[in-house]
Amino acid sequence: DFFDLIPLIISSKLLLLIETPTIIIYNNTMIKRWVIWLRILVLSDSHGDIYSMKKAIDAQPTAEVVIFLGDGYADFEKCKPLLDGKQLYCVKGNNDFYCNYPKNAIIEEGGLKIYITHGHYEYVKSGLGGLLSVLKRNNCKLALYGHTHNQQEDNYDGFKMFNPGSIRNDEY
């Protein structure tokens, strides 16, 4: 059944690949399946290390979407000229003072609803229960968050949560 197909998310440190199944149905018969890959570069917690951010961006030139998860929004702003033509998203972190970005957002990419946040409002340093609640409440299948500075990937009840870790000092 077409509606049972769920996008597959493959993560590798800073890069997410979302596979979106596409089916053509003609005269009640499935005749073709294409797979569309979307490359998403996910960055977080640069804390003034613009060099490491630029290095990560340079390492993923084919990424179509770039998401920054806070704590270094000024670094992200300085890197925007390197990201021309890409879809950009940014949320503010607990150290992003005087920042006009939202504290979290729900976006849709590759046919997938994604919740993006720095993570401090969801208390991710104390566990992922708050983040899981937000996913369920908003019918999102994926959460991207930072704040802990540690890369982490978790799956609970069909929901995926991914933290790229800190970009600072090549910690990624």
Side-chain angles (χ1 to χ4, degrees):
D1 189 331
F2 175 75
F3 297 105
D4 290 336
L5 297 173
I6 298 172
L8 171 69
I9 304 152
I10 301 169
S11 59
S12 175
K13 298 216 175 187
L14 299 171
L15 187 67
L16 292 177
L17 296 175
I18 298 177
E19 178 188 45
T20 303
T22 305
I23 297 175
I24 296 174
I25 299 176
Y26 180 74
N27 288 338
N28 294 324
T29 305
M30 183 184 344
I31 59 171
K32 193 79 167 181
R33 180 175 182 213
W34 290 305
V35 177
I36 301 166
W37 288 93
L38 177 67
R39 298 173 74 88
I40 302 176
L41 178 61
V42 184
L43 306 168
S44 187
D45 295 281
S46 58
H47 293 281
D49 187 352
I50 194 167
Y51 171 79
S52 292
M53 185 177 283
K54 286 180 179 179
K55 185 176 170 185
I57 290 167
D58 288 344
Q60 298 298 336
T62 58
E64 298 129 310
V65 178
V66 178
I67 300 171
F68 184 68
L69 300 172
D71 275 2
Y73 85 95
D75 307 329
F76 182 71
E77 288 292 319
K78 290 175 187 170
C79 287
K80 276 187 174 179
L82 303 173
L83 301 169
D84 191 40
K86 300 181 186 307
Q87 179 64 52
L88 305 178
Y89 299 99
C90 182
V91 292
K92 65 180 169 184
N94 58 303
N95 290 304
D96 289 329
F97 308 107
Y98 312 110
C99 173
N100 290 326
Y101 286 112
K103 65 181 182 179
N104 55 52
I106 296 173
I107 62 173
E108 189 165 327
E109 289 293 342
L112 188 67
K113 278 180 74 176
I114 304 169
Y115 178 72
I116 61 173
T117 184
H118 183 63
H120 58 294
Y121 288 106
E122 294 82 5
Y123 305 104
V124 295
K125 285 187 176 180
S126 299
L128 300 177
L131 200 54
L132 184 59
S133 292
V134 173
L135 288 176
K136 289 179 178 180
R137 200 169 46 248
N138 291 289
N139 198 27
C140 296
K141 289 293 181 190
L142 171 65
L144 301 175
Y145 69 99
H147 190 52
T148 68
H149 292 210
N150 298 312
Q151 186 197 15
Q152 186 171 337
E153 184 177 340
D154 294 282
N155 294 287
Y156 294 105
D157 299 326
F159 298 94
K160 189 171 194 89
M161 291 166 272
F162 179 71
N163 182 335
S166 175
I167 192 77
R168 187 172 183 192
N169 299 323
D170 288 332
E171 290 175 18
Y172 65 94

